[in-house]
């Protein structure tokens, strides 16, 4: 049986994860947030005091690292060496470590293999940076979800403010962090953030979550 594989790529803060979850719910299929896997790898490096840019040591610890995804009542939980770290990977420090460790080709190859196995087993909406270009180049449905850096920084600022997690950071600090990650993710040599030639581009700068979700679902249904 042919699996439904929907690839959603794009830069940080463009609304991919929120859209992916809503679409998976609407279609009754699973959603895999691949960024969470890189975040778990980044967390492991931080915990062991290993510089995530130091490929040799990062690879040494990754050889002994188990990153797994499980679902409880349809909600994704990310497991690091058997520990549920879902609530521990959403800090800015872990995000940067994830971005750094994700530049190492062998780390990507290991996590991409797990993601491909997942897509063979389940109908899935997968969001990341290079799902349509590298992980699932044959996915039937590919989207590139983006937004202006100002809008992405505004959303992230409001989200952190709502959670009381700004830690004294200004809008400009958040914008600079997003720009650094964009640069990192799109200039790495191996499987960078890139829009697949056959992806549908959705610029969410002036769209709300419901509109983004509707645009993707309409495109999936139109294709059949
Ligand atoms: O989507 P996110 O913010 O949770 O991702 C964190 C970092 O992980 C991101 O800056 C780059 C990396 N990443 C990646 O390289 N490839 C993916 N498919 C997903 C995330």
């Amino acid at each position: 049986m042919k699996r439904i594989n929907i690839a959603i790529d794009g830069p940080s803060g463009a609304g991919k994860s929120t859209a992916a979850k809503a679409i998976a719910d609407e279609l009754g299929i699973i959603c895999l947030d691949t960024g969470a896997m890189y975040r778990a790898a980044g967390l492991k490096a931080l915990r062991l005091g290993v510089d995530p840019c130091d490929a040799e040591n990062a690879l040494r610890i990754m050889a002994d690292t188990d990153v797994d995804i499980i679902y409880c009542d349809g909600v994704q939980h990310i497991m690091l060496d058997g520990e549920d770290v879902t609530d521990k990977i959403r800090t800015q420090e872990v995000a940067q470590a994830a971005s750094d460790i994700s530049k190492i080709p062998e780390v990507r190859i290991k996590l991409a293999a797990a993601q491909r196995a997942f897509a063979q087993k389940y109908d899935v909406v997968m969001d990341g940076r290079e799902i349509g270009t590298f992980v699932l180049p044959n996915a039937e449905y590919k989207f590139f979800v983006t937004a202006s850096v100002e809008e992405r920084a505004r959303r992230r600022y409001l989200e952190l403010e709502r959670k009381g997690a700004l830690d004294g950071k200004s809008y400009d600090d958040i914008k600079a962090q997003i720009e650094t990650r964009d640069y990192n993710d799109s200039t790495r040599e191996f499987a960078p953030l890139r829009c697949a030639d056959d992806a549908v581009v959705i610029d969410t700068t002036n769209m709300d979550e419901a509109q983004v979700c509707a645009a993707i679902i309409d495109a999936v249904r139109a294709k059949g």
Side-chain angles (χ1 to χ4, degrees), residues 164-185:
L166 269 175
D167 277 342
K169 290 200 188 67
S170 67
Y171 164 84
D172 285 337
D173 296 332
I174 308 275
K175 183 165 164 256
Q177 283 172 345
I178 288 188
E179 283 169 337
T180 304
R181 271 218 286 153
D182 283 357
Y183 180 80
N184 247 351
D185 297 345

Side-chain angles (χ1 to χ4, degrees), residues 128-141:
R129 302 290 187 288
E130 49 15 316
I131 307 301
T133 52
F134 175 69
V135 178
L136 303 176
N138 297 322
E140 204 172 343
Y141 307 100

Side-chain angles (χ1 to χ4, degrees), residues 165-218:
L166 269 175
D167 277 342
K169 290 200 188 67
S170 67
Y171 164 84
D172 285 337
D173 296 332
I174 308 275
K175 183 165 164 256
Q177 283 172 345
I178 288 188
E179 283 169 337
T180 304
R181 271 218 286 153
D182 283 357
Y183 180 80
N184 247 351
D185 297 345
S186 55
T187 58
R188 68 177 174 235
E189 277 180 27
F190 189 78
L193 163 66
R194 193 170 68 71
C195 177
D197 295 338
D198 50 351
V200 175
V201 178
I202 300 183
D203 184 335
T204 72
T205 306
N206 296 308
M207 293 167 90
D208 63 24
E209 285 171 11
Q211 288 171 318
V212 178
C213 183
I216 296 180
I217 290 196
D218 285 352

Side-chain angles (χ1 to χ4, degrees), residues 30-206:
I30 277 176
C31 172
L32 178 63
D33 164 11
T34 61
M37 300 174 83
Y38 289 94
R39 284 172 182 258
L43 177 63
K44 172 93 175 219
L46 291 176
R47 280 180 168 178
L48 294 182
V50 167
D51 177 356
C53 297
D54 171 354
E56 197 179 323
N57 280 315
L59 276 181
R60 186 177 46 76
I61 60 164
M62 280 306 287
D64 254 352
T65 298
D66 195 24
V67 174
D68 202 9
I69 298 277
I70 59 166
Y71 291 85
C72 301
D73 296 328
V75 177
Q76 173 180 301
H77 288 254
I78 180 90
M79 309 298 290
L80 174 61
D81 300 326
E83 176 194 348
D84 186 343
V85 293
T86 312
D87 295 336
K88 302 195 173 77
I89 57 169
R90 294 291 156 199
T91 67
Q92 189 50 45
E93 198 190 7
V94 172
Q96 188 55 50
S99 184
D100 289 335
I101 207 163
S102 74
K103 283 196 228 165
I104 304 170
E106 291 86 346
V107 171
R108 304 201 67 79
I109 287 166
K110 176 173 172 154
L111 296 185
Q115 292 156 11
R116 284 187 195 114
F118 209 87
Q120 271 180 5
K121 213 162 152 195
Y122 303 104
D123 292 333
V124 66
V125 181
M126 208 178 277
D127 81 89
R129 302 290 187 288
E130 49 15 316
I131 307 301
T133 52
F134 175 69
V135 178
L136 303 176
N138 297 322
E140 204 172 343
Y141 307 100
K142 295 184 188 179
F143 297 92
F144 192 80
V145 174
T146 188
S148 71
V149 69
E150 289 77 16
E151 175 61 14
R152 290 185 286 130
R154 191 187 70 84
R155 291 177 192 166
R156 184 58 50 89
Y157 181 88
L158 292 176
E159 182 193 341
L160 291 175
E161 190 178 43
R162 207 168 42 241
K163 288 184 185 160
L166 269 175
D167 277 342
K169 290 200 188 67
S170 67
Y171 164 84
D172 285 337
D173 296 332
I174 308 275
K175 183 165 164 256
Q177 283 172 345
I178 288 188
E179 283 169 337
T180 304
R181 271 218 286 153
D182 283 357
Y183 180 80
N184 247 351
D185 297 345
S186 55
T187 58
R188 68 177 174 235
E189 277 180 27
F190 189 78
L193 163 66
R194 193 170 68 71
C195 177
D197 295 338
D198 50 351
V200 175
V201 178
I202 300 183
D203 184 335
T204 72
T205 306
N206 296 308

